Amino acid sequence: MKEIRILSPQGMLGYGYPSSSFEEGLQASPDMIAVDAGSTDGGPHRLGLGMGGVSRYATKKDLQPLILAAKERHIPLIIGSAGGSGAGKRVDWLLDIVKEIAKEQGLRLKVATIYADINKQWLYQRWQEGKVDPVDSAPPLSAESIKETTALVAQMGVEPYLEALKEKPDIIIGGRTYDPVMSAALPILNGMDPGLAFHLGKILECGALAATPGTAKDGMLGILRDGHFLVQPLNPERKCTAQSVAAHTMYEKSHPYYLHGPGGMLDLSECRFEQVDERTVKVSGSRFIPSESYTVKVEGVRQDGFRTVLICGIRDPYLLQQLDEVLAQVQDEVRSYFDQTSFQMFFKVYGRDGVMGAWEPEREALGHEVGLVAEVVAGTQEMADSICAYTRSLLMHFDYKGRVSTAGNLALPFAPPEFSAGPVFSFSVYHAVTIDDPLSLFPVKYVELRGE
Amino acid sequence: MGQEIRQKEKKTLAELAAVIRSKNAGPFEITFDILFDNACYYRRVKESGVLTRSSICQLYSARAEDVVCLEYFDQALGIKVTLRRHHPSGSAGERDTYGAQQHVPLLTIEIPDFFAPPSWPGVTVT
């Protein structure tokens, strides 16, 4: 029986994993090691600023054993969405770490890199041709939002990985990638069912999160066969249950069983989850339905300004009772002082509705103190700093009705009280684009590292 | 009488579910998963008819068009609700980048007793 064994050491490269779990996984003779290295979950600034969600130190520490094990066993190591955002410079950042490891360990490595950067003119042209549609609840794309976009990547499907695997590299470092692809690529190259392969990939990309107790800081083994796959955690203290695996299938997606990806949809409405032994679950019935035209999701960010943040505490009950009125008046006065409206100001009242805002159902239950965060976003850092400082001074001495504490209204935990928080980004593009060739946007390059 | 017993048997969603969580599903949506490890509890919640688009709207002061999904996934003993966010993830005005703390109003939703009222023949309520 044809079978492919996939070792997923962790949910995110740089999150850490127990070495005992990884050793356990290697004992199972995996055919490949697959690890996810990125996400949009942390927000748009990663793509905007070209930064990641994990440190170089942690990335190198996690990566080295994976490279050594893959090289020793002649199995591919596949890394997707390199460096957080999967932008080209983050692929190169990860490649640089691989080079350092190769040098220090004296390893000869053939590395394939796959780039996912998109050019704005290309997107603009596709948009004019009517080949661009919002993904999920993203707003429609406009010429202006394309123009404002400063960084743009497309989320690749399995096809560029199939190309790269044909050259038998030791390591593939992929730019922005649909999460299940890293695990699905080798099985699909070997003619196995893409529905099962993608579903398995969807579970493995989060490491041991689909186990119970679940965590992204530990790993899982996936075994893909004809007609079904098995998943089992690497750590004997965890187990997969039919319920935990089924539940994970729903994780972080808009719909529980229709999952859209590049080139098609995963239909899990008919799949079955069965307990095989105490720690292993068997999954069958997952289907991949190719779409009529091939689409990829394109992610782009724009910079909306610079942010300055004030954090303070309020304890006075007279002020707390009329906080909304005071904050509204302060905001009005700030807008009038700066004689402009081209900045944004948000107050977050922790202890009341700071976490949920307009979704908060218990907004009236006011505690005896609150934490107040003022967020100012303006065109320059200097302007954001100025507006936030003015807001603080106004709030500090604001003469509200019934005020008895004339020395000041705020408890300031930090000096200086405001923080320049730098550029603020938002997703300007989060759209599906119809393309003719799933490979054309994602150039594959090869590097031979000689380890000296 | 029946009413009293049913009243006594009311449970909150948190008492019945194994997992109640919220998470971002892309930058523009937050998704809620209510997961059970007990098929009976799952059915009790599903058949109670308490979780509806309109009850979610009421709970979150959301508009009907902001509820992009409310689906039951029987194999997973799971219920998924997806809401459109007020602020796209990580942008100015953000409160919860990962959407991880928006689940709380679901915890205390009261689910009436699954079992038939005692007046039904052959049914004993203990």
Side-chain angles (χ1 to χ4, degrees):
Chain A
M1 182 167 52
K2 197 159 63 173
E3 171 178 295
I4 289 183
R5 296 176 160 239
I6 301 156
L7 170 53
S8 166
Q10 58 188 152
M12 180 74 65
L13 187 64
Y15 270 17
Y17 53 86
S19 53
S20 55
S21 290
F22 184 56
E23 285 303 320
E24 185 79 21
L26 293 176
Q27 293 298 317
S29 304
D31 299 296
M32 61 177 288
I33 301 172
V35 64
D36 187 15
S39 174
T40 56
D41 288 356
H45 65 284
R46 292 181 182 167
L47 183 54
L49 290 169
M51 65 186 289
V54 291
S55 66
R56 192 182 195 280
Y57 175 87
T59 302
K60 188 179 172 189
K61 185 178 164 75
D62 282 4
L63 195 53
Q64 183 162 307
L66 308 186
I67 293 177
L68 288 169
K71 183 68 182 171
E72 188 188 330
R73 283 152 200 272
H74 308 289
I75 58 175
L77 167 61
I78 303 185
I79 307 162
S81 298
S85 66
K89 65 171 80 166
R90 302 301 293 171
V91 172
D92 293 337
W93 177 84
L94 197 58
L95 178 61
D96 187 61
I97 299 173
V98 172
K99 281 179 182 168
E100 196 172 285
I101 293 169
K103 194 173 176 186
E104 286 169 5
Q105 301 294 322
L107 296 172
R108 279 176 167 261
L109 294 173
K110 182 175 181 178
V111 183
T113 51
I114 313 175
Y115 293 85
D117 304 71
I118 295 301
N119 127 0
K120 282 191 341 185
Q121 283 69 39
W122 176 88
L123 180 63
Y124 185 74
Q125 198 177 338
R126 291 276 143 175
W127 175 70
Q128 280 194 316
E129 292 166 2
K131 293 179 174 173
V132 177
D133 292 301
V135 170
D136 299 337
S137 297
L141 196 59
S142 66
E144 198 187 0
S145 55
I146 297 174
K147 199 175 156 196
E148 289 167 351
T149 296
T150 55
L152 205 55
V153 291
Q155 199 190 50
M156 69 184 82
V158 74
E159 294 79 3
Y161 282 83
L162 300 181
E163 276 302 296
L165 278 170
K166 287 177 193 163
E167 299 296 321
K168 301 201 179 305
D170 297 301
I171 303 175
I172 299 175
I173 303 175
R176 185 67 177 125
T177 304
Y178 179 49
D179 295 344
V181 160
M182 288 79 78
S183 291
L186 190 64
I188 290 174
L189 185 71
N190 283 275
M192 301 186 83
D193 182 81
L196 290 170
F198 282 128
H199 190 185
L200 176 58
K202 153 85 179 141
I203 291 166
L204 292 184
E205 64 103 353
C206 289
L209 209 54
T212 179
T215 176
K217 294 175 183 289
D218 206 341
M220 210 106 100
L221 182 74
I223 303 172
L224 183 57
R225 295 176 178 159
D226 286 334
H228 71 269
F229 65 81
L230 302 171
V231 280
Q232 184 187 71
L234 302 177
N235 189 332
E237 288 173 17
R238 307 180 194 285
K239 57 184 181 178
C240 279
T241 67
Q243 198 271 342
S244 76
V245 175
H248 188 76
T249 296
M250 296 169 66
Y251 186 61
E252 66 186 2
K253 293 289 178 187
S254 300
H255 195 278
Y257 46 82
Y258 295 139
L259 314 180
H260 294 273
M265 181 183 77
L266 202 50
D267 177 355
L268 306 177
S269 58
E270 300 296 324
C271 70
R272 282 169 57 86
F273 304 89
E274 298 165 74
Q275 200 75 40
V276 174
D277 62 37
E278 207 195 346
R279 301 178 55 240
T280 311
V281 168
K282 176 182 172 182
V283 182
S284 57
S286 324
R287 288 181 298 171
F288 181 72
I289 301 171
S291 47
E292 277 182 27
S293 53
Y294 195 100
T295 60
V296 286
K297 185 176 71 176
V298 175
E299 298 164 354
V301 296
R302 76 159 79 82
Q303 191 180 328
D304 293 324
F306 292 82
R307 178 186 276 140
T308 307
V309 172
L310 166 73
I311 302 172
C312 54
I314 299 173
R315 180 68 176 81
D316 187 298
Y318 302 109
L319 176 52
L320 287 178
Q321 280 159 16
Q322 48 191 303
L323 192 54
D324 279 334
E325 294 87 326
V326 169
L327 294 179
Q329 286 170 36
V330 165
Q331 176 136 200
D332 284 349
E333 284 198 30
V334 172
R335 292 206 176 273
S336 133
Y337 180 85
F338 284 91
D339 195 25
Q340 57 160 304
T341 51
S342 66
F343 62 88
Q344 299 180 75
M345 182 183 285
F346 303 92
F347 291 110
K348 293 159 194 178
V349 184
Y350 288 95
R352 191 187 66 184
D353 58 354
V355 171
M356 298 194 63
W359 281 357
E360 176 58 63
E362 293 176 43
R363 200 172 175 280
E364 303 310 315
L366 192 63
H368 67 280
E369 69 174 33
V370 302
L372 177 69
V373 171
E375 174 190 8
V376 175
V377 176
T380 63
Q381 188 71 65
E382 191 192 357
M383 188 49 78
D385 289 350
S386 304
I387 295 166
C388 198
Y390 188 83
T391 304
R392 181 248 310 150
S393 64
L394 201 56
L395 258 173
M396 185 68 171
H397 302 293
F398 198 82
D399 188 21
Y400 57 86
K401 194 178 161 199
R403 179 175 179 241
V404 292
S405 59
T406 53
N409 302 323
L410 308 175
L412 298 172
F414 305 110
E418 295 92 28
F419 300 88
S420 305
V424 182
F425 294 88
S426 62
F427 282 98
S428 49
V429 184
Y430 198 75
H431 291 76
V433 182
T434 302
I435 60 174
D436 303 321
D437 176 3
L439 286 172
S440 59
L441 293 177
F442 308 106
V444 186
K445 294 177 184 172
Y446 300 91
V447 191
E448 298 274 355
L449 305 178
R450 300 194 184 282
E452 59 227 10
Chain B
M1 173 68 183
Q3 197 56 41
E4 270 174 34
I5 290 169
R6 292 175 71 183
Q7 196 65 37
K8 198 177 74 184
E9 293 297 324
K10 261 187 183 175
K11 296 259 190 211
T12 63
L13 204 51
E15 288 175 295
L16 298 173
V19 172
I20 300 177
R21 67 187 177 197
S22 56
K23 171 84 166 78
N24 58 332
F28 298 96
E29 294 174 358
I30 289 178
T31 193
F32 302 83
D33 294 341
I34 305 160
L35 305 163
F36 298 81
D37 51 17
N38 176 318
C40 191
Y41 288 173
Y42 169 72
R43 281 180 52 215
R44 173 170 169 175
V45 173
K46 184 177 177 179
E47 289 171 23
S48 74
V50 169
L51 271 179
T52 62
R53 284 173 177 262
S54 79
S55 66
I56 293 294
C57 281
Q58 206 170 6
L59 205 56
Y60 284 86
S61 309
R63 299 169 304 176
E65 62 266 33
D66 291 336
V67 185
V68 297
C69 171
L70 195 168
E71 293 282 343
Y72 290 82
F73 188 19
D74 291 347
Q75 297 99 305
L77 304 181
I79 307 166
K80 184 175 270 298
V81 179
T82 304
L83 292 182
R84 194 167 286 154
R85 299 174 71 116
H86 284 289
H87 291 278
S89 171
S91 63
E94 173 68 275
R95 290 174 185 274
D96 190 352
T97 301
Y98 287 82
Q101 282 293 299
Q102 304 300 315
H103 63 290
V104 178
L106 299 173
L107 297 173
T108 47
I109 291 178
E110 287 193 332
I111 306 295
D113 190 359
F114 171 75
F115 299 103
S119 56
W120 285 18
V123 172
T124 315
V125 175
T126 53

